[in-house]
Amino acid sequence: MAAWGGNGGKAASAGATAPAEVHSNVYDKDYYRSMFAKRTHAVPQQRMFIVGKENTVKTGTALFFGYEEGKKTTIFDIDNSASETVNHTYPGNEDILILPILDDTDDSLFKDDMSVNYNALIDKVVMFVNLMAEELKENPDQHSAVIFDGGSTCMKWCEFAMTESLLRKGVIKEEGDGFNQKEWRERNRLFKDVITRLHALPINKVYFTFHLKDNKQYADLGNGQKGLMKIGEKPDWVEGTQRLASQQLFMGRYQKKADSSAGVYADKSLADDEWVVKAKIEEIKGKGMELVGQERVVLRVQGGKVEFTGIEELRW
């Protein structure tokens, strides 16, 4: 695995001495003139949000679009579940690199009582994104894609980090205490900072996976009482996150009979021993926009046989 921010693991040539790079902390007109000069021509980019419930091949779909043979694909494994997908679909492939974030061997993430320090966890994510940016600047041709696998889990980490911050400030005395609505701005700030930094990475393909959650509200149950009822589904992200996406896919698992407890929808055209995962193309900006509104079968399982087809038109 390449050293982050280093020379990609390659040994320096004998006798070669790289010139020292001088960094200036003066951000004046000359600095911004040099930044302005870095304008480039437009190239097709993917900043894709892949949304779905569990077992809807979100990570596998991102790999299908992002992987290129001979180049590195880096996965920020927020959900700690990427290894299973990679080992099954690309066994032994050393070009797919997985970054575990909540790592039990990382002492910096735990407090004295061994509980997770969520502020340190978010700091680690941001630092890894910065190191990824350095690696991409130094060796751009060695990399194909970056996958942020677990955006909804990251948002929950930001919520826990916000709670820790409120405890330190004395806004709340215990974790279960209520607080003013405006305090949620801290969670939103932490989350959007991470997503925005990933979005800005100097690479053409960045993919984000998010969970799809039930949208519930209180409604009349018909007996004079009110209770929470499911009125639909929505992505588990901070409102406004979707504006960063250039492409959005909503994934769903289907079988002949629906199973709402497992998040499975009904498709009566399927056989009794068959189930599929479909992708609804919700948004595409620019290249491929003629596909918006289409629904494609990306995975089919029948009689013990698995067929993954993906969406070839989005495999740039």
Side-chain angles (χ1 to χ4, degrees):
M1 180 174 177
W4 293 108
N7 62 356
K10 294 183 179 180
S13 300
T17 303
E21 185 176 352
V22 178
H23 294 277
S24 171
N25 291 326
V26 179
Y27 303 115
D28 54 9
K29 188 174 182 178
D30 289 337
Y31 170 81
Y32 286 106
R33 180 179 288 112
S34 68
M35 297 297 293
F36 185 75
K38 293 181 180 179
R39 289 172 293 172
T40 61
H41 63 281
V43 295
Q45 283 194 332
Q46 287 189 326
R47 293 296 186 266
M48 184 181 291
F49 289 3
I50 304 173
V51 185
K53 294 195 173 182
E54 290 74 15
N55 298 316
T56 53
V57 295
K58 298 186 292 293
T59 308
T61 300
L63 278 169
F64 173 79
F65 293 137
Y67 174 73
E68 295 178 26
E69 188 174 353
K71 292 187 176 183
K72 299 174 185 176
T73 297
T74 299
I75 303 176
F76 284 70
D77 190 12
I78 307 299
D79 280 335
N80 278 343
S81 60
S83 290
E84 288 76 10
T85 299
V86 173
N87 288 333
H88 180 69
T89 55
Y90 296 88
N93 193 311
E94 296 183 358
D95 288 329
I96 300 175
L97 309 176
I98 299 175
L99 273 175
I101 306 300
L102 185 49
D103 183 355
D104 282 345
T105 65
D106 185 351
D107 293 338
S108 72
L109 301 180
F110 300 96
K111 303 175 185 177
D112 292 339
D113 61 359
M114 296 307 296
S115 61
V116 177
N117 183 336
Y118 285 98
N119 278 286
L121 194 58
I122 298 302
D123 287 345
K124 179 179 180 179
V125 174
V126 172
M127 181 59 71
F128 275 13
V129 174
N130 291 342
L131 292 172
M132 187 77 245
E134 290 181 14
E135 177 78 7
L136 291 171
K137 289 176 183 177
E138 293 178 6
N139 304 293
D141 296 333
Q142 295 182 9
H143 297 267
S144 169
V146 171
I147 300 172
F148 192 70
D149 193 20
S152 300
T153 300
C154 180
M155 185 181 71
K156 199 66 180 178
W157 290 353
C158 293
E159 181 180 328
F160 294 148
M162 172 198 69
T163 302
E164 289 179 355
S165 177
L166 295 179
L167 284 167
R168 284 200 311 270
K169 293 176 182 177
V171 176
I172 58 176
K173 294 182 178 179
E174 297 180 359
E175 288 190 3
D177 291 351
F179 50 84
N180 195 299
Q181 185 70 21
K182 68 179 183 181
E183 303 295 347
W184 285 100
R185 291 181 298 189
E186 176 64 11
R187 180 204 66 173
N188 298 347
R189 182 191 67 79
L190 291 169
F191 175 74
K192 288 186 175 180
D193 182 51
V194 171
I195 299 300
T196 302
R197 285 170 181 260
L198 285 156
H199 186 277
L201 284 172
I203 190 170
N204 288 336
K205 295 188 286 189
V206 182
Y207 304 91
F208 304 79
T209 69
F210 291 94
H211 293 144
L212 191 66
K213 68 177 183 179
D214 291 341
N215 188 15
K216 298 180 180 180
Q217 70 177 29
Y218 283 97
D220 192 348
L221 299 179
N223 56 1
Q225 295 181 332
K226 287 190 175 183
L228 277 175
M229 294 185 63
K230 178 181 175 179
I231 60 171
E233 296 170 332
K234 63 181 181 180
D236 195 9
W237 59 36
V238 172
E239 185 61 36
T241 302
Q242 65 272 25
R243 288 192 285 272
L244 291 172
S246 298
Q247 301 86 18
Q248 290 188 57
L249 300 183
F250 279 64
M251 318 295 285
R253 186 154 58 102
Y254 292 79
Q255 58 188 29
K256 192 164 189 176
K257 293 183 180 180
D259 184 352
S260 58
S261 63
V264 179
Y265 310 107
D267 184 343
K268 294 182 179 179
S269 69
L270 297 174
D272 290 336
D273 66 339
E274 180 183 20
W275 61 271
V276 300
V277 174
K278 299 180 184 181
K280 177 70 178 293
I281 305 171
E282 290 285 350
E283 177 186 12
I284 295 182
K285 297 175 182 175
K287 182 179 179 180
M289 64 187 305
E290 69 276 4
L291 302 176
V292 172
Q294 294 187 19
E295 190 173 61
R296 300 288 189 86
V297 173
V298 298
L299 178 91
R300 186 181 303 275
V301 178
Q302 185 175 20
K305 295 182 179 180
V306 180
E307 180 188 9
F308 184 89
T309 55
I311 304 175
E312 198 64 42
E313 297 95 320
L314 293 179
R315 198 178 196 184
W316 299 345

